[in-house]
Each structure stands twice: as C-alpha cells, then as structure tokens.
Amino acid sequence: MSGEPVPVSVARNNIILESSSTSGSSSLWDRLSTWASDNKAIVYTIAGVAVVVTGAGVVYYLSDSTKGTKTSEAGPGTAEEKKKSKKDRRKAKKQAEEAKKDEIPKSEAEPEEVKKAPMVETEEELPQVDETSVVALSDQERKDYAATLKAAGNKSYGSKNYTEAIDLYGRAILCKPDPIFYSNRAACYNALGDWDKVVEDTTAAIALDSEYVKALNRRANAHEHLEKYSEALLDYTASCIIDQFRNEQSAQSVERLLKKVAEAKGKSILADKEKRLPSPTFVTNYLQSFRPRPAPEGLEETAGIEEETGKGQLKVGLIAVGKKSGDGYEDAAKAFDRALDLGDLGAHEAFAYNMRGTFRYLRGDNNDALSDLTRSVELDPSLTQSFIKRASLHLELGNRDAATNDFEQALNQDKDDPDIYYHRAQLHFILGEFGDAAKDYQKSIDLDRDFIFSHIQLGVTQYKMGSVASSMATFRRCIKNFDKVPDVYNYYGELLLDQQKYQEAVEKFDTAVEMEKATKPLGMNVLPLINKALALFQWKQDFQEAEKLCQKALIIDPECDIAVATMAQLLLQQGKVTEALKYFERAAELSRTEGEIVNALSYAEATRTQLEVQEKYPQLASRLQGMGGGIGGPGGVR
C-alpha cells in the first residue's frame, strides 16, 4: 500500500488519546483542543506502547478530517435530548428560511435556483433610476422601486442573464442599500468568476449586517478562489459561530482552509527547519521499544580501543546512548556519523549503518535513514533490527507493502526474534487490526516474557478490543511481575483514567513518578507527570496544579511535545487563548515530520483565527464562550 502516509510516527509508536463523552453538540464543536478528538481515537505517536487516555479539553471547531461518514450532531445522550435537539434544529431552520425569504437562496458559493418567478414589468416598464433621479423619490417610492427591481433581478438571474441581473440589483441598491441586494449581486459575480467583485459586494452586505451568514460564506468562497486562505478561514469561522456550526458545509470549509493554511506554512517551516533530534523522552521511548542487548563483541565499555578510530567512535556512541539524556543522544549521533567517516569498521560496519540510520530517522532525515538501513541489511541480513527499523520507516512514509515485506525478510533470518513480532504487532495496532496485533504481542511474550512492553501492549490491545476485564487482569499481572518498572504503573493509570477512576489513576501516576526519580534521575520519563496533570484537570478542574506539573515536565524535558500540547490545552480551557497559541506554535517547532507540523499548525491557526474573530466581531465572543461549555471556562470532558 502506497500513497498517503499512515498518520503515525512509529518512532513514538502510538498512544491513543480518546475522550469518553457524555454530552454532545455539533460534530465540529466536539473536537478537543488537544490532539484528541471526541468519540474517535487518534493514533498519538509516543514511545513503545499504545495507551488509551481520556482527552480533556475545551470544545473546539476542528472536525475530524478522517471520518468517512457524518457523525450525529447531537452526540451521545438520552433519546429525549436527541429528540429535543432535532426539534430545535427544525425550528431554527424554519426561522432562517422565513428571515431570508426575499433573498435568492442557495449555498455559500451560488444562489439557489429561483422559485417560479413572479410576473414582473418588462424592461420598458421597470423604474429607470440613477444616482441623480433617485434623490427626488419619496421613501415609499424608493422601497417600491427596490422591490420591483430586485424581483426583476431574480428573474434575470434565474435565466442566467447575469449581466442584466447585476444592472437590476445595482439599481435596486440605489433605491435601498439592502444587504440582500448586495449579496444577490455578489452571487451574479460569483457565477461569472469575478472574485474581486464578489468580495466588494459581500463586504458591503456585511457592513450593513455583520451577522449575514450567506454573505460571509460567499466572501469566504471568493477569498479562497483568490488564494487568500487566511481571510477565507476568518469568514467561514465567523459564519460557523453565528450559525452555531449547524451548516456542515461551512464547518467542513473551516477544516479545509485550516489544512491549506497549515500546509502552506508547514512547507515553509520544513524548508528552513534545522534537522535535530526530538526530546530525550521521545528518543528514549523509541530505543526502549527494542529489547536491550549487550554491545557487540569488541565494542564493550571495557574494550581497549583508540577513540579516534571507527570502532572507537562506535564505542563512544554506545556509551553516550546509555546516558539517556539530550546531550548524550546528540553526542551519540555525532559519534555514529564519525565512525562511518573514519571507516575500518570490519564486522561492525552493518551495525554502524544501523545506528546512524536510527538517529537520522529520529532527526527526520527519512531518505538518508532509508539508505543507511538498506545498506545495513545488505551487509548483514542477520541484523534483523535493521529490517524492523526500515519497516517502521516505510510505514511512516505510507508504504505498507514494503513494511510488511521487511517483517517477512526479518522472520526469514530469525523466526524466534521476539522484537520482530512486537513491532509487527505495532503495525497491526496502528492500522486498527487488533486481533492480529494481539496474536503477535502474545507471540513476542511467549518468546521472551521479560520484556515489559509486550505485556503492556497486549493489555492495551485487549482494552481496545472491548475486553476490559482481560485488559485489567493483564495489567494486574504486570504489576505483580514487574513491580519495580515505572512504565507499567504509568500506562495502567492511563487505562484507569479512561474509565474515570481518578483516585486510582493518580495513585498509579504518583508511583510511576517516584520510581522514575529513583531509577532515572538524569533521564526521567515525564509522561507520568503529564498524565497526572490531565487526571487532576478532569477530576477536580485543578488548573493550577495541572499547569505546575506540565511546567515541571518542561523543565525536565523542554523538548517534550506532549507537555507542550497539554499546556496549550489547559490554557485554552481557561480562556487564555493568546498564551495557548504560543504553545501550539511551539508544538509545530518541535514536530519531526511534515504531517506532524501541519497537524500542530492546524491547531495554531484555529486558535489564531478564534482570536481574530473575537477582535473583529466582538459580539460573537460571548456566543463563542457559551457553546458547549465554551472557551471561557471549564466545560468538562466533551
């Protein structure tokens, strides 16, 4: 399978962020301000283990771009609530139709077909007015003339005589500057593809009626044709807020424009972006997704090797990796580069390409990484880890067939390597093939029961398959057999959090934090801190303590994108939109791949547009806050 990249950075494997929603509104406002979406799991790419956590956050207007069918607007709730919601929508629709019955109806881009046109005067009988003669008319005459000219314009539009309709609407406007007349004339210019004129007339209509949804949508459509995507996004967003996100077409336009704006900015950022390693948390979690193995013979820490040789630099790199710190990983990457530059590696050449390819992959140098891993398997096909890493890279690039083939080649070399089954299970999990994933995780466990992440992953897969009791039993066995490993407490806590067992979840996160401090003081995994922050926010709405925990995580690991994203979520939930925007932009800076950058920028642009809407349309600010709990205060989990 080739084509669109799979939405995963296998380097982090996959945490699934998911919300257990108990209340609903429009599908677009069911989107959370974190990387999570309501009622739909997103593969959140984090290290070694796939875990389900509850995504808490504000109601936001990014819809789920991956959904294939329209979700229920009402969302989960009682039958009575759904019935009431449907009744309200019918009522609102009827009121809207009555309010605009004099307008040429249609979609944002074009008027609807005019109903059977009423009898109107011939051209000779129509009022002949200009800027001079209109001054002499009484108010009633102006009103009557405007109605007559507008009806004639509707007839001409229905006959596709757009030029004549433009003239008639123009004369009607002289008699009565009505926003509907401007919008209808804009519809004519729209049909002719004169986008500048569409913008001019819709702007005039909006100046007369700032909440004129159809004019906003028409202007947005024109801006989009003129490739003024930010302006189009602003208009569509304002329209959606006014219309309470009832118009699915406009709501989808918001997401389409967000993607366009984000992609344009993302390409620019990626072109200028310095290739660098991600956070130590990211790197550590990727490396520990492979079973620990001793250094190759001759490269042990005690081996007497000249440092300024190829083999000596391999040894330096391995020692640096063992530090599990940001500086250590940077030193390791440089050492592996230098090892291959110096050469004379003998039997260790394939291993050197494997390690350099690994760190190139982590930096986002996918093409160079692919070349290194390919060279590694050419030199030594028995080094199955190179096949596994290349499979992960193929999957990230969207080539599932190549990934599958690499796993098959690895198995041909060593059918008893538990890492092969573990990482192939990850592929199945990412693609939603949970039954196949569970089989491979179990096979990995059968071959090596001492690797904690196979057990954790199996428990998560069981949870995703709906076998909650089996999943909880798996985690209880993990705690019994791996009682000194912090990861098991962290990920078990996430499952408890998803079930809203807050007290138990916090206790597990606390245990994980204390173990991390004791065992890895220089390379502490900050995920338990972030998870505890989410738990306290959801459980007690304790923003202050949640922010402190995220800040602490960022002090320990300033490059941790999950901590950055969570801070953005917490700030946005409190209505601190400007501060949240800074964190979303920081998340884009930390992203490795184009897809990750675009994802982060989409949220940044959504937040920025929200600020612009509130500034340009202050009357919408309170309405925005009131939707589904709103930006301005705690809305709870949606």
Side-chain angles (χ1 to χ4, degrees):
M1 181 186 73
S2 60
E4 288 298 314
V6 176
V8 60
S9 171
V10 183
R12 300 188 234 183
N13 293 300
N14 41 316
I15 280 186
I16 306 292
L17 295 178
E18 188 173 19
S19 171
S20 50
S21 175
T22 55
S23 61
S25 59
S26 167
S27 60
L28 287 176
W29 281 89
D30 284 342
R31 180 73 167 189
L32 299 175
S33 65
T34 96
W35 312 132
S37 68
D38 214 6
N39 301 316
K40 181 164 178 64
I42 292 179
V43 175
Y44 195 107
T45 57
I46 276 246
V49 188
V51 182
V52 181
V53 303
T54 302
V58 302
V59 187
Y60 214 60
Y61 60 77
L62 278 173
S63 70
D64 185 349
S65 61
T66 61
K67 67 186 178 185
T69 58
K70 182 177 177 182
T71 58
S72 169
E73 289 186 352
T78 65
E80 183 179 351
E81 287 171 338
K82 293 182 180 180
K83 183 177 179 181
K84 182 179 179 181
S85 177
K86 187 174 181 181
K87 182 179 179 181
D88 289 343
R89 289 199 299 272
R90 284 200 303 266
K91 182 178 178 181
K93 182 178 179 182
K94 184 177 179 181
Q95 289 173 342
E97 289 172 350
E98 290 176 352
K100 297 182 179 178
K101 62 185 178 182
D102 291 331
E103 177 182 2
I104 303 178
K106 180 86 174 157
S107 69
E108 301 88 307
E110 307 175 8
E112 293 177 5
E113 291 186 17
V114 182
K115 295 179 182 179
K116 189 173 180 181
M119 296 299 294
V120 298
E121 291 87 342
T122 63
E123 176 62 29
E124 292 75 18
E125 296 171 330
L126 287 171
Q128 300 299 317
V129 293
D130 55 31
E131 292 180 357
T132 303
S133 61
V134 76
V135 177
L137 298 177
S138 67
D139 289 345
Q140 188 60 47
E141 285 175 321
R142 290 186 187 189
K143 183 178 179 181
D144 293 342
Y145 282 12
T148 299
L149 289 163
K150 181 258 185 184
N154 284 6
K155 183 179 179 182
S156 295
Y157 181 88
S159 302
K160 298 187 179 181
N161 190 343
Y162 303 121
T163 302
E164 182 178 81
I166 286 169
D167 175 67
L168 291 165
Y169 289 134
R171 280 191 267 166
I173 289 168
L174 286 175
C175 296
K176 179 187 176 185
D178 190 293
I180 291 176
F181 301 167
Y182 279 111
S183 183
N184 284 356
R185 189 169 69 177
C188 298
Y189 286 126
N190 187 94
L192 297 172
D194 191 340
W195 307 115
D196 288 316
K197 285 290 187 181
V198 175
V199 170
E200 185 180 320
D201 270 357
T202 50
T203 299
I206 293 163
L208 294 167
D209 181 358
S210 63
E211 296 192 13
Y212 192 177
V213 168
K214 186 164 287 188
L216 282 164
N217 287 340
R218 283 190 180 133
R219 188 170 70 177
N221 178 65
H223 279 316
E224 188 170 0
H225 278 88
L226 292 168
E227 298 185 359
K228 296 180 178 179
Y229 299 131
S230 294
E231 291 88 338
L233 177 58
L234 179 63
D235 280 344
Y236 275 131
T237 301
S239 164
C240 286
I241 294 169
I242 293 166
D243 205 28
Q244 297 184 351
F245 283 82
R246 285 191 294 262
N247 187 324
E248 184 70 16
Q249 184 176 346
S250 298
Q252 289 173 357
S253 295
V254 167
E255 184 165 355
R256 185 182 67 252
L257 266 298
L258 279 171
K259 186 178 180 182
K260 283 187 176 181
V261 173
E263 284 178 344
K265 292 189 176 183
K267 290 183 185 300
S268 176
I269 289 174
L270 200 60
D272 299 331
K273 187 178 177 65
E274 177 188 359
K275 298 293 185 182
R276 56 186 296 186
L277 290 175
S279 75
T281 297
F282 185 117
V283 178
T284 299
N285 285 336
Y286 175 67
L287 295 177
Q288 75 179 12
S289 70
F290 294 89
R291 285 162 173 79
R293 297 182 182 181
E297 186 177 353
L299 298 179
E300 300 90 349
E301 192 169 345
T302 57
I305 311 173
E306 286 291 331
E307 188 170 305
E308 284 306 307
T309 64
K311 294 176 184 176
Q313 285 298 300
L314 278 181
K315 174 185 168 183
V316 169
L318 290 173
I319 292 172
V321 167
K323 295 178 181 177
K324 297 184 178 181
S325 66
D327 290 340
Y329 291 135
E330 290 291 347
D331 290 342
K334 292 174 185 176
F336 295 135
D337 282 341
R338 183 150 175 74
L340 282 161
D341 289 340
L342 291 170
D344 192 23
L345 295 163
H348 300 305
E349 187 175 1
F351 177 74
Y353 276 108
N354 174 295
M355 295 309 296
R356 187 174 74 173
T358 299
F359 278 83
R360 283 180 165 181
Y361 170 54
L362 289 168
R363 279 199 303 260
D365 289 329
N366 288 342
N367 290 331
D368 289 341
L370 190 61
S371 177
D372 276 353
L373 293 170
T374 298
R375 182 61 179 148
S376 178
V377 296
E378 289 171 351
L379 289 167
D380 184 3
S382 68
L383 191 56
T384 55
Q385 198 179 93
S386 295
F387 281 115
I388 295 170
K389 291 175 180 177
R390 193 173 69 172
S392 296
L393 182 51
H394 279 311
L395 184 61
E396 184 168 310
L397 294 172
N399 194 339
R400 179 181 176 179
D401 289 342
T404 302
N405 184 58
D406 273 342
F407 283 121
E408 289 175 356
Q409 290 189 68
L411 287 170
N412 288 336
Q413 294 295 323
D414 186 356
K415 63 181 178 61
D416 293 326
D417 182 347
D419 274 347
I420 301 173
Y421 295 98
Y422 175 79
H423 284 273
R424 189 173 69 174
Q426 296 290 75
L427 179 148
H428 289 308
F429 188 100
I430 289 164
L431 298 174
E433 299 163 355
F434 300 122
D436 290 333
K439 290 177 184 177
D440 273 349
Y441 289 133
Q442 186 60 57
K443 179 67 174 177
S444 177
I445 292 169
D446 293 341
L447 291 167
D448 177 12
R449 306 195 70 83
D450 294 332
F451 187 62
I452 179 62
F453 294 110
S454 295
H455 298 271
I456 292 174
Q457 192 71 63
L458 176 62
V460 172
T461 304
Q462 291 167 333
Y463 191 87
K464 291 294 294 178
M465 295 172 71
S467 301
V468 177
S470 297
S471 174
M472 294 298 100
T474 297
F475 270 94
R476 285 192 292 272
R477 284 195 299 273
C478 282
I479 289 177
K480 180 180 179 181
N481 297 326
F482 301 93
D483 61 320
K484 303 301 183 185
V485 180
D487 301 274
V488 68
Y489 295 94
N490 178 54
Y491 296 126
Y492 186 31
E494 294 200 9
L495 296 188
L496 292 169
L497 181 57
D498 190 66
Q499 298 171 67
Q500 299 181 15
K501 296 178 179 179
Y502 300 118
Q503 181 70 53
E504 293 179 67
V506 169
E507 289 172 0
K508 295 297 182 290
F509 296 141
D510 281 337
T511 300
V513 168
E514 292 307 312
M515 286 186 174
E516 289 283 351
K517 289 179 183 178
T519 59
K520 295 179 279 185
L522 298 179
M524 177 180 171
N525 187 337
V526 298
L527 295 182
L529 289 171
I530 300 167
N531 285 332
K532 183 179 178 181
L534 283 171
L536 292 176
F537 158 63
Q538 293 176 47
W539 182 18
K540 300 180 178 179
Q541 296 292 312
D542 190 344
F543 291 105
Q544 186 175 8
E545 185 61 25
E547 282 190 41
K548 283 181 181 178
L549 289 165
C550 286
Q551 291 288 9
K552 186 174 181 179
L554 287 169
I555 290 171
I556 296 169
D557 187 353
E559 307 286 293
C560 182
D561 54 347
I562 302 179
V564 171
T566 305
M567 274 297 295
Q569 165 195 354
L570 293 170
L571 291 167
L572 200 57
Q573 180 70 39
Q574 298 171 77
K576 299 176 182 178
V577 184
T578 304
E579 294 176 59
L581 176 58
K582 294 176 183 177
Y583 278 92
F584 281 128
E585 290 173 337
R586 175 64 175 152
E589 293 174 7
L590 294 173
S591 298
R592 282 177 61 252
T593 66
E594 183 176 356
E596 290 174 358
I597 291 171
V598 169
N599 188 38
L601 284 175
S602 293
Y603 285 92
E605 290 305 312
T607 306
R608 191 192 324 280
T609 302
Q610 177 185 300
L611 285 170
E612 292 176 2
V613 167
Q614 294 188 56
E615 181 179 343
K616 192 169 183 179
Y617 304 98
Q619 76 276 14
L620 298 182
S622 60
R623 198 176 308 177
L624 186 63
Q625 292 172 1
M627 288 186 179
I631 294 274
V637 180
R638 303 284 305 167

